[in-house]
Amino acid sequence: MENMIFDTAEHLFSDFAEAGFEAMPVHAEDGATEWMPDLWTQIEELGLPTTLLSEDQGGYGLPPSCGLGLVRLAASHAIPAPLGETLVANWLLAAAGLPLADGPATLACGPQITAQRLQGTADRIAWGRHAQTVVVLSVDSIARVHRGRVSEQGFNLAAEPRDTLTWDCEAETAAAPVSEITFRAIGAVLRAQALAGTLEAAVTLTVEYANERQQFGRPIGKFQANQQPLAIAASQTAAARAGADMATDLLPLALTAPDRFITAAAAAKQRAGEAAGMVAGIVHQVHGAIGFTQEYRLQALTRRLWAWRDEWGNEAEWADHLGARVASLEPNGFWPFLTWTGDAA
Amino acid sequence: MTIPFAFPAPPAGSDHSELRAEVRAFLAETLGPDYGATLQARSWNGHDPEFSRKLGAQGWLGMTFPKEYGGHGRSALERYVVVEEMLAAGAPVAAHWIADRQSGPLLLHFGTEAQKHDILPRIVAGECYFCIGMSEAGSGSDLAAVKTRARRDGDGWRLNGTKIWTTYAQHANYMIVFCRTGDSEDRHGGTSQLLVDLSTPGITITPILDIAGEHHMNEVQFNDVLLPETALLGQEGQGWSQVMGELAFERSGPDRFLSSYALLNELLRVLGNAPDQVAQRAIGRLTAHLMVLRHMSRSVAGMLENKENPTLQATIVKDLGALLEQEIPEIARSIAPADPVPGPQHEFAQVLARTLMSAPSFSLRGGTREILRGIIARNLGLR
């Protein structure tokens, strides 16, 4: 089942990769990429947005590595759609006993939830203007609501919409299945998986390029001066992927024993964010001038690396979180802490 | 189009928390409260045969060997738990380390029944120690350039040549010598591995002191050393593929990212419960890196258990691990300033000094950083 979903998703994402790249505005300051309605229709037709759900909830009862693996796969093709946000929105709504999302969904924190009302503003919301459902978390409540008013249209370095949304309306509310910090950690794992997929794609593209591009009479991939940094890029990619997978496997704990999940999520986002910066530098260096052009595909990947490492907490934020946690341990408590964090997986 | 590797989590139930608790209790009792950071910082260089025999008595050596050879038939992940607890405690594991990590598994794969029955039970008991016979003066990263040669001589072999950088040869019972046994034109062909009892006449072991003046390494000369026919390990002419397998064992464990652990632990002690912002962030970052590396290293153990070949994954863990091990002293000195003074005056300074002086070896031993990255590049499809 898992392989079948990955195979069909891989087909879909491959088919839309070129169009997704073409949809990016030429100029980075021109705003967000255009919505691709056919892409989203097919994502829904394949049932991808419910992949994190149990069978009782209307899903397939697959491990979280399947659902969040799709986020990585989509990112490896630079697919412009809020698949990860919608997967998590459905998962949280199901856990809270609320109806699943209508259409594309996104996640927000900030506005106040009182009784059946939602009031306030959330900014930098991923794909906000295109979301039909927004899952809002506030203190110990969760709300399922329409996108509200788009009070400002923004975008990120990768031309993805990042909008300010404002609500003063009725909403379907429930007790929150997760805390605000857990919510942020889930977002961090989404981006860690997306970074891992983007890193894989960037390294793969660069290896292919290095094996084709000839200088001094042979492919530039023959030179140790290029092989060694590409090996570093591959190892960094492996670490980003491993961290993201480690946290992904613990996702169910977000609902029951969140401390362990948050710790793994913090490590995952810190590690993937650090890998992103290093690898982006290497893949551009190996590509030379062609990789620095708008028309070549590499920029769709590296701009995502630079954008996503700062979303849902950058390396510093999550390192601070882990550092505070470690400082609070008893003397000689560090090793038991490390084995405790890992052994749930 | 995918990168040819992943690090899946080991199977559920791999944490073996009871075993872990047993090992921790044993270490606390055996090492005692006076076993401080300076001793721990020797990492896997602390040599103590008595400690090795105690581990053997606990059933924690040769854990994965089959019972017919005295082993305990336990999983690679159980062994992983024991090994990482030893390293985190800085226990003196050097005596049995090579035997348990690589020579034993090599014998198990390629040894004759007689060799296995003779040697493996003694490794399991913590009484039989090995050293590595790979490097030579003219053959470091270029292992295929070895010149040490064994010739057929009557019913046995006559061995001549010199091995170098041999850790704890002075205390070892055996060396597995990688050498030429044929005249093949192919650099990799005509090589074999020989099991050499170091008490055989004609062997001279000379110390080489490291940059701290300590004696771990040696030069080992073989002058017309006569070995029995049964010294051959595995197949004649198959030395290259065997030695590559041995290196895979050598590179696969948690010893490849925990070498500076004692310093990190000591750093946390010095910082206490109220580190400043800079220190807190640095510690958090190191924690993230350690968590991820440990996940990757356990994944390698899971692959070994599933009889998969994790050579590439182990290479990646070793390269990333050495980077972290070498970064730890640099970070430690930046957030807890102290002159790195050797000697017992100040524990943190002493551990820092020791770790700094060990650190260059982290990216040399077991394959240099450059060689590892060459392996990774080749697996990416470059070359």
Side-chain angles (χ1 to χ4, degrees), chain A residues 219-244:
Chain A
I220 60 169
K222 295 259 181 219
F223 294 99
Q224 289 190 349
N226 284 323
Q227 289 176 355
Q228 297 269 319
L230 278 172
I232 296 172
S235 298
Q236 291 294 324
T237 299
R241 165 89 188 262

Side-chain angles (χ1 to χ4, degrees), chain A:
Chain A
M1 180 77 182
E2 222 172 321
N3 286 340
M4 201 183 77
I5 292 179
F6 277 126
D7 287 348
T8 24
E10 168 71 29
H11 270 281
L12 173 65
F13 298 150
S14 302
D15 287 350
F16 278 90
E18 192 55 40
F21 180 57
E22 296 295 327
M24 281 179 90
V26 171
H27 198 282
E29 292 178 10
D30 283 350
T33 198
E34 289 293 315
W35 181 252
M36 297 168 67
D38 293 351
L39 167 64
W40 189 261
T41 303
Q42 293 196 41
I43 285 175
E44 289 201 334
E45 278 172 4
L46 292 178
L48 303 187
T50 53
T51 315
L52 280 176
L53 302 186
S54 69
E55 288 180 50
D56 295 350
Q57 294 168 333
Y60 319 107
L62 293 165
S65 56
C66 185
L68 296 192
L70 289 174
V71 175
R72 184 177 64 249
L73 193 61
S76 74
H77 294 282
I79 288 299
L83 174 59
E85 283 79 3
T86 308
L87 277 159
V88 168
N90 281 325
W91 186 71
L92 288 170
L93 289 170
L98 294 171
L100 299 184
D102 296 322
T106 193
L107 309 168
C109 219
Q112 278 199 322
I113 300 172
T114 42
Q116 302 295 306
R117 257 198 112 64
L118 183 71
Q119 202 169 30
T121 293
D123 59 10
R124 305 295 299 165
I125 301 305
W127 302 90
R129 76 194 72 165
H130 302 297
Q132 287 180 43
T133 303
V134 184
V135 170
V136 182
L137 199 97
S138 177
V139 197
D140 50 7
S141 299
I142 191 169
R144 178 187 187 278
V145 67
H146 189 262
R147 86 172 71 90
R149 185 166 68 83
V150 181
S151 43
E152 191 191 331
Q153 294 203 341
F155 51 95
N156 69 7
L157 200 58
E160 295 177 312
R162 294 293 183 262
D163 300 326
T164 303
L165 304 180
T166 304
W167 295 272
D168 186 3
C169 60
E170 304 241 310
E172 295 168 87
T173 62
V178 296
S179 67
E180 286 188 4
I181 179 69
T182 310
F183 188 69
R184 193 159 178 78
I186 294 169
V189 176
L190 273 185
R191 288 297 181 271
Q193 282 289 8
L195 284 168
T198 309
L199 287 164
E200 288 188 355
V203 173
T204 305
L205 181 65
T206 309
V207 168
E208 286 168 2
Y209 179 77
N211 280 334
E212 280 164 22
R213 167 73 175 166
Q214 305 250 342
Q215 287 289 275
F216 306 102
R218 48 185 179 148
I220 60 169
K222 295 259 181 219
F223 294 99
Q224 289 190 349
N226 284 323
Q227 289 176 355
Q228 297 269 319
L230 278 172
I232 296 172
S235 298
Q236 291 294 324
T237 299
R241 165 89 188 262
D245 285 348
M246 171 179 81
T248 294
D249 288 340
L250 298 186
L251 181 67
L253 290 186
L255 299 172
T256 54
D259 190 15
R260 203 173 278 202
F261 167 72
I262 295 165
T263 303
K269 187 59 166 49
Q270 192 288 330
R271 193 64 190 84
E274 196 174 313
M278 280 176 77
V279 174
I282 291 169
V283 295
H284 273 296
Q285 189 64 28
V286 172
H287 265 94
I290 190 70
F292 192 60
T293 62
Q294 192 274 336
E295 68 175 71
Y296 188 81
R297 227 184 125 61
L298 185 63
Q299 55 100 345
L301 301 171
T302 51
R303 284 169 61 186
R304 279 173 167 80
L305 294 177
W306 291 319
W308 289 344
R309 65 180 173 166
D310 282 327
E311 294 181 351
W312 294 97
N314 64 9
E315 296 95 282
E317 177 180 326
W318 289 114
D320 287 348
H321 177 92
L322 283 174
R325 184 76 177 74
V326 169
S328 74
L329 298 169
E330 308 206 331
N332 290 317
F334 186 55
W335 180 253
F337 170 78
L338 276 181
T339 55
W340 168 82
T341 60
D343 285 347

